[in-house]
Amino acid sequence: MIDASTRTTPFTALAAEPRGLKGVVVADTAVGDVRGAEGFYHYRQYSAIDLAEQRPIEDVWQLMIDGALPTTAAQREAFAAEVRPLRAIPPTVAAVLRVIAQVSEPLDGLRTALSLAAAGRGMRPNIDIDAAQRRADALFLCAITPTLLCALHRLRRGLEPVEPRDDLGYAAGYLWMLTGDEPAPAHADALEHYLISTIDHGFNASTFTARVVASTGADLGACVVAAIGALSGPWHGGAPSRALALLDEIATPDRIDAVVRPLIESGDKIMGFGHAVYRTDDPRSVMLRDVALRLVAGRPVDDPQRRLVTFAVGTEERVVALLDELKPGRRLRTNVEFYAGVVMQLCGVPAEMFTPTFASSRVIGWCANVLEQAADNKIIRPSARYVGAPPPAVVPAYAG
Amino acid sequence: MIDASTRTTPFTALAAEPRGLKGVVVADTAVGDVRGAEGFYHYRQYSAIDLAEQRPIEDVWQLMIDGALPTTAAQREAFAAEVRPLRAIPPTVAAVLRVIAQVSEPLDGLRTALSLAAAGRGMRPNIDIDAAQRRADALFLCAITPTLLCALHRLRRGLEPVEPRDDLGYAAGYLWMLTGDEPAPAHADALEHYLISTIDHGFNASTFTARVVASTGADLGACVVAAIGALSGPWHGGAPSRALALLDEIATPDRIDAVVRPLIESGDKIMGFGHAVYRTDDPRSVMLRDVALRLVAGRPVDDPQRRLVTFAVGTEERVVALLDELKPGRRLRTNVEFYAGVVMQLCGVPAEMFTPTFASSRVIGWCANVLEQAADNKIIRPSARYVGAPPPAVVPAYAG
C-alpha cells in the first residue's frame, strides 16, 4: 500500500510504479476480471467462455450494460426492440461517410464517424445527464458500430453499404452487412464465439483509456472514440492480421524453425504469442482453436481451410516449444490474436477487418466500463517523475 | 515501493491505489513538471511563467517538440517555415467541415476533423515510423488545430472561415481567424500569455490519455483525438466558461456570499477554485490576474472591462476567504480557469471557444508527451480489483 501523502512531494527521489502500471490496481470494478495465473476470465459473475458457448451475443451485451442476462423471451425481445432502430446510420454521418471511407482504414474511419455521430446525437457530458441517458448513449454507440464498420469497408472497396437486417442475429447480420451474402450458420456461430469472447478483458489499454476519458465527465462518444484510438495501436488491437501474416510468412511447416527461431533470438515479439496478464493458456485462444477445428472437421485433408487450421495448430505447438527453449520460464503461449485471425479468415472476414471486428464487440465492454466509471467517478490524474535538466534555468536571450 | 510480483495475484484483497491515481508516479518525463507545494511549474528546464513573459508561443512550441528554444533568427525562421504550410485545411477535411460544424460544438468538431485529417494524411502507427516522421505528424496536428477550431466556430455561426495569415504571430493570427478582424496588440499579447501558460501541466487527464494511447503504438492522430475527448470533460477542460458563468450568476459584489456560501456548504465544487495538485496559489492564475489587470489599467472606473476585472479580483478574494472559513486547511485557491475566462472574454474570445482555445495550446503539450512516450515505450495496462458477485456462476437457462 502506498502512502499517498508522500506522493505529492515534487522533484525528489520518488519511485515510479512498475512501468506501464503493470499489475497496479487502479480501480474497483464489477464488470469483470481476468485471473492471469488461472487462465480464466469472466463478465460479471459468469465465465466469458461459458457465455460464448451458451448465449447469443445480444444476451451478453445486455448483461454487460444492464448487469443481468435475459432469461425470458420477453426480456430478450425488449432489449432487441430497443437496439434495432439504433443500428441505422444517421443522415449526417451518411452524408460524409464516403469521404471518410476514401481516406481512412475502417478503424480510423470508425473513429471519425462515431465522433461525428456522437456530436450529431447531441451527446452531453456524462456528469450532466442521468444513468438512463448514459445507457441510451451506450446502446447507440454499440448498435451503430458494426453498421458503420461494414459500410466503411464496403465504400472503401467501391461497394454500396448493405442495410442491417432484423431477421438475423448479431454475427450473421455482421457478415451480411460485410459481404452482402447470407452467411452459413456455422460461420455466424464461429464469429459469434469470437465476438463474445472479446467483449471485455480487464483494464486493457483501450478500456483504461475509455475510463480515463470518462473520469473527466466527458460524454460516451468522447470515451469510445478515444478507446478506438488505443485499439488501433499494434501492441493492443492491431495484431490479429500480423499474426496471420506470420503464418503466411512461414508458409509451410518445415519452415517454422527457420522463420521463428531468429525472431525469438533477436528479441522480437512473436505476433500472436505472449500476453500481459496470462501466465498459462489464454482461454480465448483455447476456445478459438476448438472453434476453428469444429469448422473444418469432416472436410477432406486437402481442403484449403482444413489445411490452414492444421498448419496453425502445428505452428502453435512448435512455436511454444521454441519459446520454452529460448525464453525458459516465461511460459509464452498463444494469445487471442493467433486463432482470431484464423477464425475470421475461415468466416470470410478479410484481414483489414480483423481489428475493426474486434472493435465491434469490444465497444460493448468499453461502454460497460464507462457507465461504471460515470456512476462513481473521480478524475484519473496520476503524476510523473521529472528526470530532465533541473529547473528553473534562465530563459536564454533571443539574439534576433 | 510496490512489489510488482504480488500484483498479478487475482481476486484477493489487493489494495487499490489512491483513487484516480492521485499522486501516483506512472512514468519518467523530461517534458516538464508541476511542483504543487511550491506553486511552480516548468516546461523542460524553464519556468512556464518566465517563458510566457519572455517568448512568443512559437518558440515554446519549438522547445516542447525539439527540446530547445531558438536563440537566433535563423532557428526561429526555420521552424516557422516548416509550420506555416501545415496550417491550411486539407481539401478532404474542408469538403466535410460544414457538415461537422453543423452538428458539433467546436471541440467535438475538432475531434472529428482531426481524426479525419490524420487519416487523410495517411498517419501510420508510431511504432512503424521513425522519430522524424513522428515529429512531422506532431507539427501537422499542432499547426492545423487553431485553423480548424476557428473555421468550425465560424461555420457554426454561418460565417465563412478566415485563412491563416503569414504576417501575424500565433495569437494574433488566432484572433484574426476567429473574428476576421486584426486584433489589438495588447489582446494578442494577453491571449499569447494564456496560450503559453496552458501548453502543458504534468500528467493531467488529457495528457495521460494521450500517453496511454501512444503506449499501444498508435499514430499521433489517435493520441490527440483521444486527448481532445478527455479535455472535453467538464472536470478537466470544460470549466473556464463555467467559472465565468459563476461570475455572471453572482452578478454584483454584494451577492457573493449569498451565492457562494450555500454552494460550499452543500459540498458543491466551486468552478474556478481548487486544483488537484496545487496546495498554494496556481501560478497560472496569478499571472493571468496580472494580465487582466494590465489590459484594463488606465481605463475609466466605469469601463465595462475594467469593472469585470475588478469584480473578478474582488470575488476571488471573498471566495477564498469563504473557502478558508468553511473548508479550513484545504487551502483552496483560484485555478487557471478562473482568470482564463476573464482574459479570453477581454480579448474577444466567445465563451463557447474557451475550452477549444485551451485545446489549441494544449495540443502542443500532448504531442511533446506522445513523442517522449513513443521514444521509450511500454504499453500502459493497469489492473482492477473485481468487487462484483463471485464467479463462476452457472449461466442461467434461457426459458424461451
Side-chain angles (χ1 to χ4, degrees):
Chain A
M1 184 62 196
I2 289 164
D3 177 5
S5 65
T6 65
R7 292 309 189 82
T8 52
T9 315
F11 199 57
T12 52
L14 287 176
E17 291 302 318
R19 283 198 82 196
L21 290 173
K22 191 177 165 77
V24 174
V25 174
V26 299
D28 289 345
T29 183
V31 172
D33 197 22
V34 180
R35 300 182 181 181
E38 297 169 45
F40 172 77
Y41 73 116
H42 57 97
Y43 303 157
R44 308 290 180 189
Q45 66 268 48
Y46 308 113
S47 152
I49 301 299
D50 287 354
L51 289 168
E53 299 283 9
Q54 296 174 40
R55 291 287 194 143
I57 186 168
E58 289 89 340
D59 289 4
V60 186
W61 180 2
Q62 197 171 347
L63 170 70
M64 298 305 275
I65 300 297
D66 293 336
L69 285 168
T71 52
T72 67
Q75 289 168 345
R76 200 179 263 179
E77 178 45 39
F79 190 76
E82 244 187 307
V83 162
R84 209 173 284 130
L86 299 175
R87 296 171 307 169
I89 299 175
T92 308
V93 180
V96 299
L97 205 61
R98 267 162 229 277
V99 175
I100 297 172
Q102 228 165 39
V103 301
S104 316
E105 301 284 335
L107 193 63
D108 297 341
L110 177 70
R111 188 182 67 201
T112 304
L114 266 192
S115 175
L116 182 61
R121 196 177 147 88
M123 276 193 195
R124 289 162 53 216
N126 277 338
I127 63 162
D128 292 338
I129 58 178
D130 63 14
Q133 186 58 52
R134 290 196 291 266
R135 176 182 176 275
D137 288 347
L139 291 185
F140 169 76
L141 292 168
C142 296
I144 202 178
T145 290
T147 321
L148 284 172
L149 283 171
C150 293
L152 285 161
H153 168 71
R154 291 182 65 85
L155 288 168
R156 199 163 167 75
R157 300 206 163 180
L159 302 166
E160 283 306 299
V162 172
E163 302 267 319
R165 257 171 64 179
D166 293 348
D167 61 324
L168 296 176
Y170 183 108
Y174 186 84
L175 290 169
W176 162 255
M177 290 191 292
L178 189 68
T179 64
D181 296 320
E182 204 167 308
H187 286 160
D189 182 64
L191 184 65
E192 189 124 335
H193 275 76
Y194 168 73
L195 290 168
I196 295 173
S197 73
T198 51
I199 284 177
D200 191 47
H201 203 254
F203 271 33
N204 57 84
S206 60
T207 299
F208 183 52
T209 297
R211 289 189 79 123
V212 174
V213 175
S215 82
T216 69
D219 64 79
L220 256 298
C223 303
V224 167
V225 165
I228 292 168
L231 193 73
S232 74
W235 293 136
H236 182 17
S241 58
R242 296 189 189 210
L244 205 60
L246 178 69
L247 286 179
D248 281 346
E249 193 191 338
I250 297 171
T252 55
D254 59 298
R255 283 173 34 86
I256 299 173
D257 279 48
V259 172
V260 175
R261 192 181 278 275
L263 287 176
I264 301 173
E265 283 172 346
S266 65
D268 283 358
K269 206 165 159 173
I270 310 301
M271 286 296 173
F273 291 84
H275 191 269
V277 177
Y278 289 118
R279 292 292 161 267
T280 179
D281 288 332
D282 182 332
R284 301 168 298 181
S285 171
V286 174
M287 184 191 78
L288 292 173
R289 181 176 53 210
D290 284 349
V291 165
L293 286 166
R294 284 204 295 261
L295 267 183
V296 299
R299 295 206 198 170
V301 178
D302 62 347
D303 173 274
Q305 294 208 331
R306 176 161 176 169
R307 283 175 59 186
L308 170 65
V309 176
T310 308
F311 177 47
V313 172
T315 301
E316 177 192 17
E317 272 175 29
R318 182 61 198 145
V319 173
V320 165
L322 282 171
L323 286 165
D324 278 344
E325 175 197 331
L326 299 170
K327 306 262 181 193
R330 292 282 305 279
R331 295 191 56 76
L332 298 167
R333 298 289 176 269
T334 47
N335 57 43
V336 64
E337 285 153 359
F338 187 77
Y339 285 106
V342 173
V343 167
M344 283 194 270
Q345 170 135 322
L346 297 179
C347 293
V349 178
E352 69 160 72
M353 287 299 284
F354 287 177
T355 303
T357 301
F358 183 10
S360 187
S361 57
R362 184 55 61 92
V363 66
I364 297 171
W366 295 331
C367 285
N369 273 278
V370 169
L371 294 177
E372 185 179 73
Q373 182 76 33
D376 179 24
N377 187 44
K378 176 170 172 64
I379 192 165
I380 298 176
R381 194 208 185 288
S383 292
R385 179 174 57 176
Y386 181 71
V387 295
V394 174
V395 175
Y398 174 65
Chain B
M1 184 63 196
I2 289 165
D3 177 5
S5 66
T6 66
R7 291 308 190 81
T8 51
T9 315
F11 199 57
T12 53
L14 286 175
E17 291 302 318
R19 284 198 83 196
L21 290 172
K22 189 176 167 76
V24 174
V25 174
V26 300
D28 289 345
T29 183
V31 173
D33 197 22
V34 180
R35 300 181 181 181
E38 297 170 44
F40 173 76
Y41 73 116
H42 58 97
Y43 302 158
R44 307 291 180 189
Q45 67 267 49
Y46 307 113
S47 151
I49 302 298
D50 287 354
L51 289 168
E53 299 284 8
Q54 296 174 41
R55 290 289 194 141
I57 187 168
E58 289 89 341
D59 288 5
V60 186
W61 181 1
Q62 197 171 346
L63 169 70
M64 298 304 275
I65 300 298
D66 293 337
L69 285 168
T71 53
T72 67
Q75 289 168 345
R76 199 179 263 180
E77 178 45 37
F79 190 75
E82 243 187 305
V83 162
R84 210 175 282 129
L86 299 175
R87 296 172 307 169
I89 299 175
T92 308
V93 180
V96 300
L97 205 61
R98 267 161 229 276
V99 175
I100 297 173
Q102 230 165 38
V103 301
S104 316
E105 302 285 334
L107 192 63
D108 297 341
L110 177 71
R111 188 182 68 201
T112 304
L114 266 192
S115 176
L116 182 61
R121 197 176 145 89
M123 277 195 195
R124 287 162 53 215
N126 277 337
I127 63 163
D128 292 338
I129 58 178
D130 63 14
Q133 185 57 53
R134 288 197 293 264
R135 176 182 177 275
D137 287 347
L139 291 185
F140 169 75
L141 292 168
C142 297
I144 202 178
T145 291
T147 321
L148 283 172
L149 282 171
C150 294
L152 284 161
H153 168 70
R154 292 181 65 86
L155 287 169
R156 198 165 169 74
R157 299 206 164 181
L159 302 165
E160 283 305 299
V162 172
E163 302 268 317
R165 257 171 65 178
D166 292 349
D167 61 324
L168 296 175
Y170 183 107
Y174 185 84
L175 290 169
W176 163 255
M177 290 191 293
L178 189 68
T179 64
D181 296 320
E182 205 167 307
H187 286 159
D189 182 63
L191 184 65
E192 190 124 335
H193 275 75
Y194 168 73
L195 290 168
I196 294 173
S197 73
T198 51
I199 283 177
D200 192 47
H201 203 255
F203 271 33
N204 56 83
S206 60
T207 299
F208 183 52
T209 298
R211 289 189 79 123
V212 173
V213 176
S215 81
T216 70
D219 64 79
L220 256 297
C223 302
V224 167
V225 164
I228 292 168
L231 193 73
S232 73
W235 293 137
H236 182 15
S241 58
R242 296 188 189 212
L244 204 60
L246 179 69
L247 286 180
D248 282 346
E249 193 192 338
I250 297 172
T252 55
D254 59 299
R255 283 171 36 84
I256 299 174
D257 279 49
V259 172
V260 175
R261 191 180 278 275
L263 287 175
I264 301 174
E265 284 172 345
S266 65
D268 283 359
K269 205 165 161 174
I270 310 300
M271 287 295 173
F273 291 83
H275 191 270
V277 178
Y278 289 119
R279 290 293 160 267
T280 179
D281 289 331
D282 182 332
R284 301 168 299 180
S285 170
V286 174
M287 184 191 78
L288 291 173
R289 182 176 51 209
D290 285 348
V291 165
L293 286 166
R294 283 204 295 261
L295 266 183
V296 299
R299 296 206 197 171
V301 177
D302 62 347
D303 173 274
Q305 294 207 330
R306 177 161 177 171
R307 282 175 59 186
L308 170 65
V309 176
T310 307
F311 177 48
V313 172
T315 301
E316 178 192 17
E317 273 175 29
R318 182 64 197 142
V319 173
V320 165
L322 282 172
L323 286 165
D324 277 345
E325 175 198 331
L326 299 169
K327 304 263 181 192
R330 292 282 305 279
R331 294 192 56 74
L332 298 167
R333 298 287 175 269
T334 48
N335 58 43
V336 64
E337 284 153 359
F338 187 77
Y339 284 107
V342 173
V343 167
M344 284 193 270
Q345 170 135 321
L346 297 179
C347 292
V349 177
E352 68 161 70
M353 287 299 284
F354 287 177
T355 303
T357 302
F358 182 11
S360 187
S361 57
R362 184 54 61 91
V363 64
I364 297 171
W366 294 332
C367 285
N369 273 279
V370 169
L371 294 177
E372 184 178 74
Q373 182 76 34
D376 179 23
N377 189 43
K378 176 169 173 64
I379 192 165
I380 298 177
R381 194 208 186 289
S383 291
R385 178 174 59 174
Y386 181 71
V387 295
V394 174
V395 175
Y398 173 67

